Amino acid sequence: MSPASVSFPDWLASRAFTNPERSALSVDGQRWTYAQLDGEATSLARKIASFGVKRGDRVATLLHNQAIAAILPHALLRLGATIVPLNVRLTDRELAWQVENAAPRLMIVDERTRSLIQQSAVKSVDVAHLAAADEADVGMRFDHPADFTLAIIYTSGTTGRPKGAILSVANFWWSAIGSALNLGVHDDDRWMLCLPMFHVGGLSIVMRAAIYGIEASILDGFDAARVNAGIDGGGTIVSVVAVMLDRMIEQRGNRPYPPTLRCVLLGGGPAPSSLLERCEKLGIPAVQTYGLTETCSQVATLSPDQARSHRGAAGKPIYPNAIRIRGGEIEVRGPIVMQGYFNEPEASSSAIRDGWLRTGDIGEIDSEGFLRVLDRREDLIVTGGENVYPAEVEAVLTAHDAVIEAAVVGSEDVTWGQRVVAFVRTSAPIDAESLDEHCRAALAGYKVPREFRFVASPLPRTASGKVRRNELRGATR
């Protein structure tokens, strides 16, 4: 039997059958049992179907963290449609490109994003706000082949153009199973979700909760006080990046965390050693993890009992996946690896060779088999958990009439992990404020350089014409 011929049951329906009264979802104090969530998913699927969505269609979403964002993936699965979650922080131009590339049948918005879309240049897709939609009488599909595309999630590429990672039902299943075998699953687990649900880290928690039969506790964005209150209220696991955890500790002061908090999953790039030391002193069960959109979240994660003895490591590969280092680059193989990039056959074949995903990240594996990530890709900047590729920012900068050439690098930042720094050579006088305004018109705020350094001489380059980024990074220290 081939892997693609294996069918996966509807996780939510299965949990509604086996554990109907167990808590499945909480948002702003409201809770849904698995039976209630199951009913909500069916109702939502029928509303979406009333807009003509059918099996094989793609449905884009532009939603903040909220209940509907957690119910939608289950509803679309029942219609046999694929979710394409889009970042609410994208500019009009970025959003228009991704919509054009994904060609969704429908885009679902909320109250906050509806006005954004109405004022945008995105006109190639029908837009729906489901609050008052009718319900169509349609059939539901409660099982799917392993290779069914559950989601297409856009991730920046080294060329600066986003690419849609195709993630299957099997990718999400094995990501959940690997995490469970590493961190365990408790009947009273409540996984707190304060990461954006348009990122794979957020969406994977929604899927994982339904597979495990635990509660996903969703917060509309990150607020340190609310996260800490949620932990005091019974949150057992929370996924954060370093800057979030740092703010949680600052907000909490000297109050200890309750023993019910059994894991703080720390991703978004290597954590500062000073932060890990603070976690040890305060008894915070922080475990580092390494993952990518292309691997449906976690690739390697420390187990709680390894966090202290292997500080700074990202852990061992989660079962049943494998990691190797070739030429210093981290490569991954296993059922968590994406199917490829949507409408990008060349990029797909370049990224996945002989079953191994070339991450572009630099790392090493120690004698005990623990992975250490040395750099989040040679050029990638990770600021506050968000990925910024220099090529994309450079393309915007050099589009300015006064800019001859530009190079963008990451500089160490205590708060954000890294900040974006731009080296710019111009043909006419221009100030940083003007370049900032120019960038903000085309880029999401986290991609805009926090510092502009104007240079009079040509940027340092190799014989092949590539900018010597290491040299520029050294100049920011």
Side-chain angles (χ1 to χ4, degrees):
M1 181 180 291
S2 68
S5 67
V6 176
S7 290
F8 286 83
D10 183 305
W11 306 315
L12 178 56
S14 297
R15 282 298 172 184
F17 176 72
T18 57
N19 308 101
E21 299 308 314
R22 183 177 290 180
S23 182
L25 176 69
S26 65
V27 185
D28 291 331
Q30 184 177 359
R31 274 193 165 80
W32 290 259
T33 65
Y34 271 98
Q36 291 169 333
L37 190 59
D38 180 64
E40 291 278 2
T42 293
S43 174
L44 192 57
R46 288 174 176 157
K47 288 183 177 182
I48 296 168
S50 72
F51 290 90
V53 173
K54 58 186 183 303
R55 185 169 182 80
D57 285 341
R58 291 174 294 281
V59 175
T61 62
L62 196 64
L63 299 169
H64 295 82
N65 280 18
Q66 56 193 292
I68 190 175
I71 302 168
L72 260 172
H74 300 298
L76 291 174
L77 268 176
R78 293 183 179 181
L79 292 177
T82 295
I83 188 170
V84 185
L86 301 176
N87 192 330
V88 299
R89 299 173 65 185
L90 295 178
T91 64
D92 188 23
R93 188 170 77 175
E94 293 168 321
L95 185 61
W97 189 92
Q98 292 187 16
V99 170
E100 180 182 353
N101 182 256
R105 173 67 182 82
L106 186 72
M107 176 183 284
I108 297 173
V109 297
D110 59 30
E111 289 293 346
R112 284 181 281 177
T113 58
R114 178 162 55 177
S115 59
L116 177 67
I117 280 294
Q118 289 172 340
Q119 299 168 13
S120 77
V122 179
K123 307 298 180 187
S124 59
V125 62
D126 291 335
V127 177
H129 187 271
L130 299 177
D134 296 326
E135 294 187 17
D137 185 12
V138 294
M140 302 287 173
R141 178 72 181 266
F142 290 91
D143 67 292
H144 297 280
D147 61 354
F148 175 79
T149 302
L150 190 155
I152 296 173
I153 302 182
Y154 280 86
T155 179
S156 297
T158 54
T159 62
R161 189 174 73 175
K163 296 190 290 291
I166 303 170
L167 300 175
S168 69
V169 168
N171 290 151
F172 281 94
W173 170 264
W174 284 109
S175 177
I177 296 304
S179 180
L181 293 173
N182 183 51
L183 300 179
V185 177
H186 298 179
D187 285 346
D188 62 350
D189 269 339
R190 183 184 300 169
W191 203 310
M192 298 187 63
L193 200 171
C194 52
L195 298 172
M197 293 171 66
F198 48 75
H199 281 223
V200 73
L203 182 57
S204 65
I205 292 172
V206 171
M207 296 290 103
R208 202 173 293 154
I211 292 171
Y212 299 164
I214 64 172
E215 179 186 308
S217 179
I218 296 174
L219 282 73
D220 181 9
F222 175 77
D223 178 86
R226 291 184 65 198
V227 175
N228 283 334
I231 292 171
D232 289 334
T236 62
I237 306 175
V238 61
S239 298
V240 293
V241 297
V243 66
M244 292 179 176
L245 182 54
D246 186 67
R247 290 180 177 179
M248 288 164 58
I249 294 172
E250 288 298 322
Q251 192 279 331
R252 195 160 187 94
N254 295 321
R255 281 196 306 122
Y257 283 91
T260 47
L261 176 64
R262 68 183 192 85
C263 181
V264 176
L265 205 60
L266 188 56
S273 57
S274 58
L275 176 61
L276 297 176
E277 289 170 4
R278 290 172 72 192
C279 288
E280 288 182 11
K281 290 177 181 177
L282 295 170
I284 298 172
V287 296
Q288 287 197 260
T289 183
Y290 164 71
L292 306 89
T293 302
E294 292 90 338
T295 59
C296 204
S297 189
Q298 299 175 54
V299 171
T301 305
L302 286 171
S303 59
D305 63 333
Q306 298 167 338
R308 183 182 294 271
S309 59
H310 293 83
R311 184 199 298 166
K316 294 182 179 180
I318 62 171
Y319 182 84
N321 306 285
I323 294 175
R324 71 180 183 186
I325 308 295
R326 294 194 67 183
E329 181 180 11
I330 302 168
E331 296 188 351
V332 182
R333 183 178 66 186
I336 58 171
V337 173
M338 67 173 182
Q339 311 300 295
Y341 292 116
F342 185 70
N343 280 340
E344 296 274 4
E346 291 185 8
S348 299
S349 59
S350 175
I352 305 173
R353 295 184 180 178
D354 299 323
W356 288 91
L357 172 70
R358 303 170 62 192
T359 68
D361 291 337
I362 306 303
E364 61 185 17
I365 297 174
D366 67 22
S367 59
E368 296 179 83
F370 288 88
L371 173 69
R372 291 183 180 271
V373 182
L374 305 179
D375 198 350
R376 293 285 293 183
R377 298 178 174 85
E378 183 179 358
D379 299 330
L380 178 66
I381 302 166
V382 181
T383 177
E386 295 278 8
N387 291 352
V388 179
Y389 278 88
E392 182 181 13
V393 184
E394 289 163 358
V396 171
L397 283 168
T398 54
H400 194 288
D401 291 341
V403 176
I404 300 173
E405 59 177 347
V408 172
V409 299
S411 178
E412 188 172 341
D413 187 280
V414 174
T415 301
W416 300 104
Q418 286 182 298
R419 68 180 184 277
V420 183
V421 178
F423 288 81
V424 182
R425 186 162 67 96
T426 65
S427 59
I430 187 171
D431 57 25
E433 184 177 350
S434 298
L435 285 181
D436 181 274
E437 183 178 352
H438 170 75
C439 288
R440 289 186 185 280
L443 297 168
Y446 62 85
K447 300 177 184 178
V448 176
R450 294 291 181 267
E451 180 181 352
F452 293 89
R453 297 196 177 191
F454 295 91
V455 298
S457 303
L459 295 172
R461 296 180 181 273
T462 65
S464 61
K466 294 181 179 179
V467 173
R468 296 183 183 272
R469 297 189 190 279
N470 287 338
E471 188 174 323
L472 294 177
R473 275 193 285 267
T476 67
R477 298 189 182 98

